[in-house]
């Protein structure tokens, strides 16, 4: 049977980083990202093709252990990932980008974020670009080296056939 | 490049039912684990909370979850609980689905995990839920057990454990 779930790239931060970029994404149907993150800011920016224009939007729901809520942001300059600040707990980001290499439609992404000590989240993102996604960047929200050592990011390619 | 999504083991509950679904002797050769299940229990309720144990331990777990019941959304916390399963009072032949993703299960940090689950019941209420879990233990996970908080798993309940490598 053909291989349909393939690691594209993996990165473990050996020291604190300000950004981590994956290019050479290969030829797959979808991409799954597993990112176990720590960052001083508790979150960071995710950008496709280094686009920092106001082309991202998101709708999400979350629970903090006492209440459930939903919210929405339009015209953002990035998508986002979550992080714990330090210690031995890493926030688990599971991201699925569908049909990432087509050059006809805008791109959507589903994200599940998990931090047992704070909250659980589910997001849907839209990147309003018809360009094929050729790079994915994890960027510090403050532009400094706030992505903590030990954070790991792996990209998997999923083929429909 | 090699396929890295590999079935480690599977369980199908037989006619006598089972008090737990257990995966033991999990090799440390993968990066992440993914456990998916289709389960139903024999309790008198329409749904039934589930517990998870790693390495036969039921301690040092914490969880935060978000769920909808068909009429409202809510959030709560728990300890060893993972999300609900259909109970014996749910519509016949209806099995709930769940997925648990455990990154870096063999690493030396505490183990965070993600759990999604749905029950279904052809009546007023059923549950769709998301859970963030943490096992505050730095040991490599070598076994995983899923247990019903009450009752047992019925025949035809299934679970599959996959190993995922990042290289």
């Amino acid at each position: 049977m053909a291989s349909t779930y393939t690691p594209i790239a993996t990165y473990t931060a050996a020291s604190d980083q300000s950004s981590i970029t994956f290019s050479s994404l290969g030829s797959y149907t979808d991409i799954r990202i597993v990112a176990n993150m720590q960052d001083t800011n508790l979150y960071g920016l995710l950008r496709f093709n280094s686009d920092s224009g106001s082309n991202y939007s998101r709708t999400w729901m979350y629970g903090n252990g006492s209440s459930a809520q939903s919210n929405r942001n339009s015209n953002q300059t990035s998508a986002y990932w979550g992080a714990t600040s330090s210690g031995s707990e890493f926030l688990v980001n599971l991201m699925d980008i569908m049909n990432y290499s087509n050059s006809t439609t805008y791109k959507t992404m589903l994200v599940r974020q998990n931090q047992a000590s704070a909250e659980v989240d589910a997001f849907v993102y839209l990147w309003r670009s018809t360009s094929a996604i050729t790079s994915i960047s994890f960027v510090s929200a403050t532009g400094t080296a706030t992505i903590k050592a030990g954070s790991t990011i792996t990209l998997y390619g999923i083929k429909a056939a | 490049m090699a396929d890295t999504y590999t079935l480690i083991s599977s369980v199908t509950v037989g006619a006598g039912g089972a008090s737990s679904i257990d995966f033991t002797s999990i090799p440390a050769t993968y990066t992440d684990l993914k456990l998916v299940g289709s389960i139903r229990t024999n309790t008198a309720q329409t749904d039934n909370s589930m517990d998870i144990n790693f390495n036969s331990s039921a301690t040092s777990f914490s969880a935060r979850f978000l769920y909808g019941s068909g009429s409202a959304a809510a959030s709560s916390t728990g300890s060893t609980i993972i999300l609900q399963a259909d109970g014996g009072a749910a519509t016949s032949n209806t099995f709930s689905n769940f997925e648990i993703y455990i990154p870096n299960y063999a690493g030396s940090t505490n183990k965070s995990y993600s759990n999604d689950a749905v029950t279904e019941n052809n009546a007023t209420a059923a549950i769709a839920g998301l859970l963030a879990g943490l096992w505050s233990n730095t040991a490599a996970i070598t076994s995983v057990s899923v247990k019903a908080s009450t009752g047992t798993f019925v025949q035809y309940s299934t679970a599959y454990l996959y190993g995922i490598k990042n290289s």
Side-chain angles (χ1 to χ4, degrees):
Chain A
M1 185 177 292
S3 173
T4 60
Y5 196 102
T6 304
I8 297 172
T10 190
Y11 179 86
T12 299
S15 59
D16 295 353
Q17 302 292 316
S18 58
S19 68
I20 301 162
T21 295
F22 298 90
S23 51
S24 304
L25 301 182
S27 300
Y28 301 94
T29 309
D30 307 322
I31 288 178
R32 158 152 278 210
I33 302 172
V34 179
N36 307 299
M37 303 301 289
Q38 288 189 342
D39 187 294
T40 307
N41 299 315
L42 301 178
Y43 75 101
L45 315 179
L46 183 90
R47 291 190 168 122
F48 301 128
N49 299 359
S50 301
D51 178 20
S52 58
S54 301
N55 297 316
Y56 302 82
S57 58
R58 63 175 179 170
T59 304
W60 77 98
M61 56 184 182
Y62 68 99
N64 60 11
S66 59
S67 66
Q69 299 183 47
S70 178
N71 210 331
R72 175 171 171 74
N73 298 123
S74 297
N75 301 318
Q76 301 291 293
T77 58
S78 72
Y80 301 92
W81 43 268
T84 61
S85 60
S86 61
S88 195
E89 181 187 11
F90 286 73
L91 191 147
V92 179
N93 299 265
L94 302 176
M95 304 169 160
D96 291 288
I97 309 167
M98 284 66 168
N99 201 10
Y100 71 98
S101 63
N102 88 81
S103 56
T104 305
T105 69
Y106 291 172
K107 308 301 181 297
T108 53
M109 175 172 69
L110 299 176
V111 178
R112 279 277 285 106
Q113 290 184 356
N114 303 275
Q115 184 182 1
S117 62
E119 64 184 58
V120 56
D121 305 81
F123 297 83
V124 57
Y125 279 96
L126 172 67
W127 181 45
R128 296 194 310 280
S129 173
T130 58
S131 298
I133 295 174
T134 56
S135 71
I136 299 171
S137 299
F138 287 71
V139 181
S140 164
T142 54
T144 57
T146 58
I147 302 172
K148 305 294 285 185
S151 297
T152 64
I153 304 168
T154 301
L155 274 60
Y156 297 94
I158 301 171
K159 280 188 179 176
Chain B
M1 191 176 286
D3 196 355
T4 62
Y5 195 121
T6 304
L7 178 66
I8 297 173
S9 185
S10 66
V11 172
T12 300
V13 174
S19 59
S20 66
I21 292 174
D22 305 313
F23 296 93
T24 60
S25 303
I26 299 171
T29 50
Y30 302 96
T31 310
D32 302 337
L33 295 177
K34 181 177 177 177
L35 176 62
V36 297
S38 170
I39 55 176
R40 180 183 174 99
T41 66
N42 65 355
T43 58
Q45 294 82 31
T46 54
D47 55 73
N48 184 12
S49 63
M50 314 296 292
D51 293 333
I52 191 166
N53 292 174
F54 294 147
N55 298 359
S56 301
S57 171
T59 62
S60 303
F61 283 85
S62 57
R64 216 162 282 257
F65 42 98
L66 168 67
Y67 59 95
S69 62
S71 58
S75 180
S76 189
T77 59
S79 54
T80 63
I81 291 173
I82 57 173
L83 291 165
Q84 311 294 104
D86 277 311
T91 304
S92 299
N93 300 317
T94 303
F95 285 63
S96 53
N97 290 170
F98 73 85
E99 173 183 317
I100 301 170
Y101 197 95
I102 313 168
N104 197 21
Y105 71 100
S108 57
T109 60
N110 291 344
K111 307 302 180 295
S112 297
Y113 58 95
S114 174
N115 173 206
D116 296 352
V118 292
T119 69
E120 189 43 75
N121 183 34
N122 188 29
T124 304
I127 294 172
L130 312 174
L131 179 146
L134 176 69
W135 186 44
S136 297
N137 192 309
T138 58
I141 294 173
T142 57
S143 70
V144 176
S145 295
V146 176
K147 305 179 180 194
S149 58
T150 59
T152 60
F153 296 111
V154 303
Q155 187 180 18
Y156 308 121
S157 294
T158 60
Y160 295 81
L161 181 67
Y162 297 92
I164 298 171
K165 282 186 180 177
N166 67 3
S167 61

